[in-house]
Amino acid sequence: MSVENLLQELEKKSGLRREELMKRIEKKILELDNLITIEGAIYLVARDLGIELPAERRKVKISSILPGTRKVSFTGRVFKISKIVEFDVGGRKGRVVNLFVGDETGYVKVPLWNDQVDYLNQRKISVGSIVQIINGFAKEGNYGEVEVSLGNFGIIRVIDKDEGLPSAEELLQKFSSFERIKIKDIRVGNFEIVGFIVKVLKSNYIYQSNGEKALILPTIIDDGTGDIRVVFFRELAEEVASTTVNEIEKLEEEKRKRFLEERVLGKEVIVQGRVKKNDIYDRLEMVATYVKPFNPTEESYKLVEELENA
């Protein structure tokens, strides 16, 4: 559905005026620091209001899947499966495994929880399997990636049709490797950059994820050839800023930016992440998935090794 049709439907079902809805939508976009589209924000506002908006029931290319979309169906190839993690929260035991499913346009993470973990054996899901997800729910993951959950009504099945999808090896190379690149040459994909944090962007720095408070740190990194907006989430944000979300929450909002600037400005870091296009602002941005301090000695050894192997 178009943005206008979604807004009309939300107006009708919520009984709220367009002006009020737009305020909520803009607030949602700001809360997630402009990392979602207006369509995704509309679906998230609808969810907060307990309203289910219609979604097209058709298979889509993975790159088109928006956070907040319900009843999404697509086909892709499994190119990576995480280890099964068992956990105990408040005496309640559980387990989870993540499937990474891709096509030629992008990838999503599909978590299987508790009894769903048995699908690996029951449905013979392995690396290389072509799977069809039906009636999934898309949301934003910890590091800005799209995550599609099955919930109680979603279905995953292995299909025999080849679908013309890239091989698991090709997808792993495309979506899991990080080529080091100068910022002036940056493009959509997975890359590693080295640069200085030169700016902390204005934000509320705290957002809610499934009832849990998390830190978000939007920055500008410059490597001398150019600069790019890089956003750190959760543990990565806390690592870069040497603080915690609880410590940030204790500060008054107007003091948070200065507090973070004192901790991060001027740091030289190596960052790996996913570069994507922000259609709202027509710019490329990176969502960090890994960060570490720049180590001149370590980098010198790497350079020598590369020269010797050249």
Side-chain angles (χ1 to χ4, degrees), residues 41-76:
I42 292 171
Y43 278 102
L44 291 175
V45 169
R47 184 184 66 183
D48 291 345
L49 293 169
I51 294 169
E52 184 171 339
L53 292 177
E56 294 181 352
R57 298 193 184 191
R58 60 181 177 87
K59 290 189 294 183
V60 297
K61 293 297 184 183
I62 289 176
S63 63
S64 301
I65 298 172
L66 301 171
T69 306
R70 297 177 182 272
K71 298 180 181 177
V72 62
S73 299
F74 64 94
T75 299

Side-chain angles (χ1 to χ4, degrees), residues 14 91 146 178 208 253:
S14 68
V146 178
F178 294 86
Q208 295 278 347
E253 277 197 40

Side-chain angles (χ1 to χ4, degrees), residues 88-261:
D88 188 335
V89 179
R92 296 181 61 184
K93 293 184 178 180
R95 52 188 182 147
V96 63
V97 64
N98 293 309
L99 309 182
F100 293 82
V101 181
D103 64 13
E104 68 276 11
T105 70
Y107 79 95
V108 293
K109 183 169 71 174
V110 180
L112 301 179
W113 295 89
N114 302 321
D115 291 344
Q116 293 175 350
V117 174
D118 296 330
Y119 291 171
L120 293 179
N121 293 324
Q122 293 171 356
R123 304 184 185 183
K124 298 181 180 178
I125 299 172
S126 60
V127 170
S129 295
I130 297 175
V131 296
Q132 184 178 40
I133 306 294
I134 302 170
N135 223 19
F137 170 68
K139 66 176 184 177
E140 190 159 16
N142 292 345
Y143 301 111
E145 79 280 18
V146 178
E147 186 175 294
V148 177
S149 297
L150 299 180
N152 295 323
F153 306 106
I155 297 170
I156 182 170
R157 62 182 184 129
V158 176
I159 59 177
D160 296 327
K161 284 181 74 175
D162 181 76
E163 299 282 338
L165 292 163
S167 68
E169 292 77 12
E170 290 171 322
L171 291 169
L172 186 64
Q173 175 67 25
K174 184 173 183 179
F175 298 123
S176 296
S177 61
F178 294 86
E179 172 192 352
R180 183 172 291 188
I181 194 171
K182 296 292 185 184
I183 292 176
K184 70 179 178 64
D185 300 320
I186 208 79
R187 59 189 183 275
V188 173
N190 291 334
F191 292 102
E192 178 181 272
I193 60 172
V194 180
F196 291 91
I197 299 175
V198 297
K199 189 173 184 179
V200 174
L201 298 173
K202 189 175 181 180
S203 171
N204 62 12
Y205 306 111
I206 298 172
Y207 78 105
Q208 295 278 347
S209 177
N210 296 326
E212 177 189 358
K213 290 172 184 169
L215 185 63
I216 178 173
L217 179 62
T219 67
I220 297 292
I221 291 183
D222 191 305
D223 70 350
T225 71
D227 59 59
I228 187 171
R229 186 173 184 269
V230 179
V231 184
F232 300 92
F233 284 89
R234 294 178 175 272
E235 294 85 359
L236 290 183
E238 294 186 353
E239 181 180 345
V240 171
S242 301
T243 188
T244 66
V245 67
N246 292 330
E247 190 173 0
I248 293 294
E249 190 178 27
K250 292 175 185 175
L251 298 174
E252 296 175 11
E253 277 197 40
E254 61 270 18
K255 294 182 179 179
R256 291 174 183 172
K257 187 171 185 289
R258 182 176 296 179
F259 177 85
L260 291 167
E261 286 176 337

